[in-house]
Amino acid sequence: MSQNSQYKEEQLGEIFSLESIYPDELEILEEEPFHQFKLQVKSEGHDEEEGIGYACDLKFTYTPTYPEEIPMIEIMDDVGLDDEQLERLKDRLEKEAEDNLGMVMIFSLVSTANEWLNNEWDAELRRRDEEAERKILEAEEAENKKCHGTAVTVENFLRWKAEFDAEIAALKKPEKEDKDKKLTGRELFMVDKSLIESDLKFLEEGGEVVNVDESLFQDLEDLGLDDE
């Protein structure tokens, strides 16, 4: 038996085995001069209509000296896979083929592709879960900001102090004109600048950020509290 006849016999024997293993998935495209065929592979739970999972067809073409050299491999009719994934799958299959030189390898290549698709789909499901959790956390953080007021930092405290200084200056002028006028609790607080400066010093030294509901400082005199 010539060497070419031996290769041909091995190829025909593998085709026969593949027809038994994949009676529905295997499709013979050509028989001469060398067999060309394709097989569908897909991840577990694949449902194209529901957009679940990945799938593709693997097209194989025997070379004259297969299995002493790798078959031609083409990925066709892919579902859900992007270009980067297709390139990685092709590289993975070619490496697996190189590792199996000298032996019929189509079954091994198909099994490798199935496993690769399962791993890729599992990774996609994890990514989707992480994205959903991230959106939930962002929504919770936004809600917490609404409930807990404004975060006070040195920068926005300085802006707030500048506004207080302007109010203090406006209060001092009528105070000189009418020294007997009694100040409200809020006015006393604004006149005593040491209170503001001590708070500012605390912020600058500690560098801590606290949450303050600014509405608590608005219109305290409307509560009708006596200065006593």
Side-chain angles (χ1 to χ4, degrees), residues 133-147:
E133 290 177 3
R134 183 186 65 79
K135 289 182 178 179
I136 291 173
L137 288 175
E138 288 179 351
E140 290 176 349
E141 289 175 0
E143 186 65 25
N144 287 336
K145 287 180 180 179
K146 293 180 182 178
C147 295

Side-chain angles (χ1 to χ4, degrees), residues 67 95-105 108-109:
K95 181 180 183 304
E96 181 69 17
E98 292 287 350
D99 292 340
N100 285 275
L101 277 178
M103 301 177 290
V104 291
M105 63 184 74
S108 178
L109 294 177

Side-chain angles (χ1 to χ4, degrees), residues 119-164:
N119 291 337
E120 285 293 302
W121 182 244
D122 288 343
E124 172 64 14
L125 291 178
R126 288 194 298 271
R127 187 196 67 78
R128 293 183 183 184
D129 287 342
E130 291 171 358
E131 178 68 12
E133 290 177 3
R134 183 186 65 79
K135 289 182 178 179
I136 291 173
L137 288 175
E138 288 179 351
E140 290 176 349
E141 289 175 0
E143 186 65 25
N144 287 336
K145 287 180 180 179
K146 293 180 182 178
C147 295
H148 292 88
T150 304
V152 178
T153 63
V154 172
E155 289 77 9
N156 61 28
F157 185 84
L158 287 172
R159 290 194 297 270
W160 183 57
K161 179 178 179 299
E163 295 175 0
F164 263 58

Side-chain angles (χ1 to χ4, degrees), residues 8-111:
K8 191 71 171 179
E9 184 176 340
E10 287 186 87
Q11 294 168 13
L12 291 174
E14 183 175 39
I15 290 292
F16 180 78
S17 297
L18 292 173
E19 287 176 330
S20 299
I21 298 171
Y22 306 107
D24 299 322
E25 296 88 349
L26 179 67
E27 181 182 349
I28 304 296
L29 303 176
E30 291 183 15
E31 295 185 5
E32 297 294 341
F34 303 101
H35 268 87
Q36 185 178 92
F37 53 93
K38 68 179 181 178
L39 280 158
Q40 185 184 57
V41 292
K42 53 189 176 182
S43 58
E44 293 181 6
H46 169 69
D47 188 326
E48 186 173 351
E49 292 184 359
E50 296 294 330
I52 298 173
Y54 296 138
C56 64
D57 288 346
L58 300 181
K59 178 182 175 183
F60 299 101
T61 303
Y62 286 151
T63 60
T65 58
Y66 172 85
E68 291 300 327
E69 61 179 333
I70 68 174
M72 297 175 59
I73 305 170
E74 184 180 349
I75 302 173
M76 306 170 55
D77 302 325
D78 56 283
V79 177
L81 298 168
D82 59 31
D83 290 342
E84 187 268 340
Q85 288 174 307
L86 292 172
E87 184 176 348
R88 286 194 289 110
L89 176 56
K90 182 71 177 296
D91 291 343
R92 179 70 183 87
L93 292 175
E94 289 179 349
K95 181 180 183 304
E96 181 69 17
E98 292 287 350
D99 292 340
N100 285 275
L101 277 178
M103 301 177 290
V104 291
M105 63 184 74
I106 302 302
F107 177 80
S108 178
L109 294 177
V110 172
S111 298

